[in-house]
C-alpha cells in the first residue's frame, strides 16, 4: 500500500462499534490510542446517524473524526455501517426499517436455524433483504454522499480506505426466501459466475466446484439446477447477491473518490457454526472468495475477521497474489501481527477495541517494532526475504528457507530449560504476562507468551531478527555456517539503534523472552571440500 508516495503498513486497531458516534466520548481516548504506537484506526460511520431522515444528511460526526485523528497523527479506515452489520440491519435508519413494503425483510422460511448472539425471549433483530433494489439505491445514495463529503473535507488523505458494510450475510437460513429472493432463485445463474467457474475452476474450493459444475454448460435457473435443500448452492446464491450489493456500492463510491474499498468476513464454517446460516450465508468466507472476486471486481480485497485460535490457517486462506492480506479485526495477540506481515505478506493488522488497550501493552510494542521496520519489511516482502513465525507451545520449531540457507527457529525457553535440566537445575515457571486490555468488552485478554517475530535477510550472510523468545540456527548444504557476530538493537523513538555486541551465554537470548527485541546476526561460511 502506498500513502502519500511512501510504503505504508497499516498497523493499529478498530474502535468499538459505538465509540465513534460521539465525539465527546472519544475526546479523552485519542491520546491513549496514539500512545499504543498504532498508525491507523478503523472507525465506523453509521447510516442511521448521518441520514436520520431521507435526503437530509449530517456529517458532523465524520468531520469530528477527521479532525481528531489528524491531531492524534493517525490515519483512518472508515467502516460504512449501512444496511448490513454482522448479518443484521440495526444501523439502517428508522425510515428504512419502518417501510417494509419498500424495503422488505429477509424471509428465513418456516423453521429458521438457531443463530449466535440470540437467546430465548430476545427481541428480533431487523434483517433487510439484500435482493431489494430500493434498499440498494437508498444505501448507495447515502454511501456516495459520504464519499463526496470525504473528497471535499479530507484533502490531507486522513482516510486511506473504506470498508463497505460489515460481516454481511444471512443468519438463520441458508438463503433468503422473500419474494424478490425467490424471483432471483428462479432466474438464470449469473453469467459472470458461470464464466469464472469455466475459466478459473482451479481457484474454486473443490467441494464447491463439484456442486457448481453443471452451471458451466447450462443457462438454467438456480432452482432448475439445485432444487431445494442444497447448502452449497444456497451459500453461493447468497454470495452472488451480497457481492453484487457490496461491490455495487464500492463501484459507485469509487467514481466519486478513488480510495481502496474492501469487504470483511465473519468466518465460516467454524466449530459450532458448521452450516451456512449458522454463520452468515453469502458473506466473503474463504470457500466463496472466487465468487466474490468474480461478482465484485470493484472491491480491492476481501478480509477476514480473526477471533479463532488457528489464525495462521485463516491467513493462508485469504493471502494470495489476487487478494493481499489485510486483517481489520482480531484479538490482542501480538505474535499474529508478525505472522501476518512476515509469513503471508500482509499489509495491515488491527485488533478490536483498541481504545481498551492497557498503557504499555505488548501489542503496542509490536506496533512500534513493526512500523519502525516498514521499509525493510516492504522490501523483503517484495523480494521474498522475510519469514514470520509464532510458535505454539507444542511446536518443536519451524524452518524457513532463504535461498541456500535454512533458518531453524525454536522455542528458546524450552531449549534453555532442557539444557539446565541436563545440568540438574530446575527453573520455576515463567510469570503470566500482564493483560493487554483494561475494561475490555470481550473479557480478560492475556499477553502473548509464544515465541514470535520476523526473520529478514539483509544480505547473503546477514539477517535481522525481531520478536521475542526464539532461538535461531542457520544451515547451508555446501558449507558449514557459524555465527560471526550478534549485534543487539535497541528501539528508540527514532527507530532501532545499535547496542551491545552479544557473545558467550547471551547468544542463547538473541531475542529476549519477556519483551520484544531485535538483533542483527552475521554468519561466517566455512567452506567444505
Amino acid at each position: 500500500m502506498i500513502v502519500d508516495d511512501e510504503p505504508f503498513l497499516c498497523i493499529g486497531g478498530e474502535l468499538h462499534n459505538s465509540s465513534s458516534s460521539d465525539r465527546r466520548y472519544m475526546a479523552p481516548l485519542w491520546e491513549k490510542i496514539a500512545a499504543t504506537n498504532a498508525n491507523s484506526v478503523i472507525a465506523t460511520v453509521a447510516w442511521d446517524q448521518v441520514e436520520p431522515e431521507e435526503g437530509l444528511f449530517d456529517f458532523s460526526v465524520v468531520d469530528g473524526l477527521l479532525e481528531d485523528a489528524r491531531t492524534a497523527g493517525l490515519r483512518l479506515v472508515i467502516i460504512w455501517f449501512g444496511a448490513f452489520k454482522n448479518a443484521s440491519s440495526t444501523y439502517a435508519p428508522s425510515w428504512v426499517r419502518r417501510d417494509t413494503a419498500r424495503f422488505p425483510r429477509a424471509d428465513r422460511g418456516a423453521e429458521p436455524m438457531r443463530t449466535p448472539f440470540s437467546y430465548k425471549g430476545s427481541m428480533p433483530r431487523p434483517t433487510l433483504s439484500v435482493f431489494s433494489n430500493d434498499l440498494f439505491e437508498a444505501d448507495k445514495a447515502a454511501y456516495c454522499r459520504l464519499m463526496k463529503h470525504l473528497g471535499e473535507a479530507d484533502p490531507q488523505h486522513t482516510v486511506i480506505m473504506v470498508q463497505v458494510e460489515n460481516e454481511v450475510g444471512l443468519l438463520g437460513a441458508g438463503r433468503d426466501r422473500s419474494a424478490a429472493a425467490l424471483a432471483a432463485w428462479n432466474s438464470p445463474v449469473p453469467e459472470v459466475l458461470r464464466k469464472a467457474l469455466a475459466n478459473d475452476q482451479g481457484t474454486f474450493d473443490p467441494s464447491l466446484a463439484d456442486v457448481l459444475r453443471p452451471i458451466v454448460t447450462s443457462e438454467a435457473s438456480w432452482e432448475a439446477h439445485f432444487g431445494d435443500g442444497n447448502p452449497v448452492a444456497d451459500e453461493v446464491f447468497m454470495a452472488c447477491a451480497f457481492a453484487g450489493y457490496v461491490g455495487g456500492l464500492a463501484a459507485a463510491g469509487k467514481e466519486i473518490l478513488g480510495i481502496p474499498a474492501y469487504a470483511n468476513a465473519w468466518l465460516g464454517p467454524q466449530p459450532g457454526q458448521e452450516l451456512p446460516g449458522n454463520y452468515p450465508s453469502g458473506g466473503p468466507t474463504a470457500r466463496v472468495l472466487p465468487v466474490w472476486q468474480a461478482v465484485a471486481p470493484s472491491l480491492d480485497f476481501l478480509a477476514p475477521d480473526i477471533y479463532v485460535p488457528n489464525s495462521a490457517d485463516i491467513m493462508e486462506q485469504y493471502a494470495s497474489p489476487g487478494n493481499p492480506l489485510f486483517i481489520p479485526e482480531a484479538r490482542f495477540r501480538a505474535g499474529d501481527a508478525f505472522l501476518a506481515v512476515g509469513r503471508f505478506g500482509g499489509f495491515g493488522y488491527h485488533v478490536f477495541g483498541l481504545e481498551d488497550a492497557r498503557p504499555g501493552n505488548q501489542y503496542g510494542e509490536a506496533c512500534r517494532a513493526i512500523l519502525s521496520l516498514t521499509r525493510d519489511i516492504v522490501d523483503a516482502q517484495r523480494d521474498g526475504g522475510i519469514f514470520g513465525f509464532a510458535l505454539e507451545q507444542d511446536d518443536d520449531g519451524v524452518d524457513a528457507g532463504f535461498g541456500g540457507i535454512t533458518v531453524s527457529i525454536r522455542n528458546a525457553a524450552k531449549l534453555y530449560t532442557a539444557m539446565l535440566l541436563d545440568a540438574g537445575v530446575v527453573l520455576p515457571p515463567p510469570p503470566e504476562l500482564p493483560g493487554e486490555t483494561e475494561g475490555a468488552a470481550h473479557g480478560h485478554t492475556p499477553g502473548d507468551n509464544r515465541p514470535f517475530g520476523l526473520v529478514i535477510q539483509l544480505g547473503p550472510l546477514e539477517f535481522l531478527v525481531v520478536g521475542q523468545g526464539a532461538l535461531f540456527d542457520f544451515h547451508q548444504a555446501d558449507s558449514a555456517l557459524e555465527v560471526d557476530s550478534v549485534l543487539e538493537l535497541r528501539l528508540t523513538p527514532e527507530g532501532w539503534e545499535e547496542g551491545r555486541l552479544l557473545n558467550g551465554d547471551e547468544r542463547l537470548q538473541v531475542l529476549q523472552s519477556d519483551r520484544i527485541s531485535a538483533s542483527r546476526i552475521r554468519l561466517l561460511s566455512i567452506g567444505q571440500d
Side-chain angles (χ1 to χ4, degrees):
M1 188 176 189
I2 304 297
V3 175
D4 290 344
D5 300 321
E6 291 292 331
F8 191 85
L9 291 174
C10 199
I11 308 294
E14 182 175 318
L15 302 179
H16 284 291
N17 298 160
S18 305
S19 295
S20 59
S21 68
D22 182 9
R23 190 177 186 183
R24 290 171 298 180
Y25 176 86
M26 283 297 302
L29 297 176
W30 285 108
E31 185 176 355
K32 179 183 179 184
I33 291 169
T36 65
N37 305 304
N39 69 355
S40 54
V41 168
I42 302 178
T44 64
V45 173
W47 186 9
D48 61 345
Q49 189 170 18
V50 300
E51 192 185 10
E53 296 183 42
E54 187 169 11
L56 297 178
F57 292 92
D58 178 3
F59 290 111
S60 56
V61 66
V62 177
D63 295 335
L65 270 176
L66 293 173
E67 183 177 344
D68 294 340
R70 287 179 199 133
T71 301
L74 294 159
R75 301 284 184 169
L76 284 174
V77 177
I78 292 294
I79 302 178
W80 173 242
F81 274 1
F84 300 103
K85 191 272 179 188
N86 291 47
S88 65
S89 302
T90 58
Y91 286 87
S94 301
W95 56 269
V96 171
R97 289 180 283 111
R98 187 183 300 116
D99 192 346
T100 56
R102 182 181 169 195
F103 305 110
R105 304 295 177 95
D107 184 346
R108 297 176 175 86
E111 297 183 5
M113 299 176 178
R114 185 175 179 275
T115 58
F117 307 118
S118 64
Y119 53 90
K120 187 176 181 180
S122 63
M123 296 174 66
R125 292 184 180 184
T127 305
L128 298 166
S129 176
V130 72
F131 294 92
S132 167
N133 188 62
D134 283 340
L135 178 65
F136 173 75
E137 292 298 330
D139 199 348
K140 183 178 74 171
Y143 178 71
C144 288
R145 283 293 296 266
L146 171 63
M147 293 298 101
K148 182 175 184 292
H149 184 80
L150 289 177
E152 295 168 347
D154 187 30
Q156 300 94 328
H157 305 138
T158 307
V159 177
I160 56 175
M161 284 192 295
V162 180
Q163 178 183 300
V164 188
E165 311 289 346
N166 187 83
E167 293 186 0
V168 300
L170 179 68
L171 283 174
R175 64 180 170 90
D176 184 0
R177 296 170 187 269
S178 64
L182 290 175
W185 183 250
N186 286 285
S187 299
V189 175
E191 184 178 8
V192 65
L193 177 60
R194 296 174 59 233
K195 285 184 175 179
L197 188 63
N199 298 331
D200 302 301
Q201 186 168 321
T203 65
F204 283 74
D205 182 277
S207 65
L208 187 145
D210 288 345
V211 172
L212 294 181
R213 191 168 289 115
I215 74 173
V216 174
T217 57
S218 171
E219 298 180 2
S221 69
W222 295 92
E223 170 64 28
H225 278 301
F226 305 110
D228 203 17
N230 188 317
V232 172
D234 288 350
E235 184 173 15
V236 174
F237 172 70
M238 295 303 296
C240 285
F242 277 106
Y245 188 105
V246 175
L249 263 62
K254 284 185 173 184
E255 291 181 2
I256 300 167
L257 182 63
I259 58 175
Y262 70 95
N264 67 325
W266 173 331
L267 301 179
Q270 56 179 295
Q273 301 175 28
E274 286 79 14
L275 293 173
N278 298 142
Y279 60 89
S281 181
T285 59
R287 71 172 178 175
V288 297
L289 289 185
V291 178
W292 272 76
Q293 290 169 328
V295 177
S298 57
L299 292 171
D300 293 276
F301 56 90
L302 302 164
D305 291 347
I306 303 180
Y307 295 98
V308 295
N310 57 321
S311 52
D313 295 337
I314 304 304
M315 294 180 197
E316 186 173 18
Q317 291 170 355
Y318 278 82
S320 70
N323 193 68
L325 181 66
F326 179 86
I327 300 171
E329 291 184 39
R331 297 176 295 171
F332 275 79
R333 209 171 184 218
D336 282 359
F338 287 90
L339 196 62
V341 301
R343 180 89 61 90
F344 301 105
F347 73 95
Y349 187 92
H350 294 80
V351 298
F352 183 74
L354 183 62
E355 67 268 48
D356 290 333
R358 174 185 58 80
N361 70 91
Q362 182 190 35
Y363 176 71
E365 289 304 299
C367 292
R368 193 160 72 108
I370 291 171
L371 292 174
S372 67
L373 293 170
T374 293
R375 174 62 74 173
D376 297 284
I377 290 171
V378 170
D379 288 347
Q381 286 177 334
R382 179 197 62 216
D383 299 335
I386 188 171
F387 185 81
F389 62 92
L391 302 180
E392 302 299 335
Q393 293 308 307
D394 294 336
D395 291 344
D396 291 329
V398 64
D399 289 344
F402 293 85
I405 295 178
T406 299
V407 183
S408 295
I409 305 164
R410 296 186 176 89
N411 186 322
K414 288 176 71 172
L415 287 177
Y416 192 49
T417 299
M419 287 186 287
L420 287 176
L421 271 177
D422 291 340
V425 179
V426 179
L427 290 176
E432 182 179 346
L433 294 174
E436 288 288 86
T437 58
E438 50 186 12
H442 288 181
H444 173 69
T445 306
D448 192 343
N449 63 1
R450 298 174 297 172
F452 62 73
L454 302 174
V455 180
I456 299 174
Q457 187 171 31
L458 301 177
L461 294 172
E462 186 173 1
F463 292 83
L464 172 68
V465 295
V466 57
Q468 71 175 27
L471 190 65
F472 306 90
D473 289 284
F474 300 82
H475 309 279
Q476 194 169 38
D478 57 355
S479 63
L481 295 176
E482 60 185 48
V483 174
D484 190 25
S485 66
V486 178
L487 182 64
E488 180 185 57
L489 302 177
R490 286 193 298 266
L491 188 53
T492 72
E494 289 73 38
W496 291 101
E497 294 182 352
E498 295 183 354
R500 297 178 299 167
L501 193 62
L502 301 181
N503 209 327
D505 295 343
E506 277 79 17
R507 286 189 180 174
L508 293 175
Q509 283 194 320
V510 169
L511 295 181
Q512 298 298 312
S513 60
D514 59 348
R515 59 183 172 85
I516 295 170
S517 57
S519 293
R520 191 166 67 232
I521 302 172
R522 286 195 177 95
L523 304 175
L524 189 64
S525 176
I526 310 298
Q528 295 180 339
D529 294 333

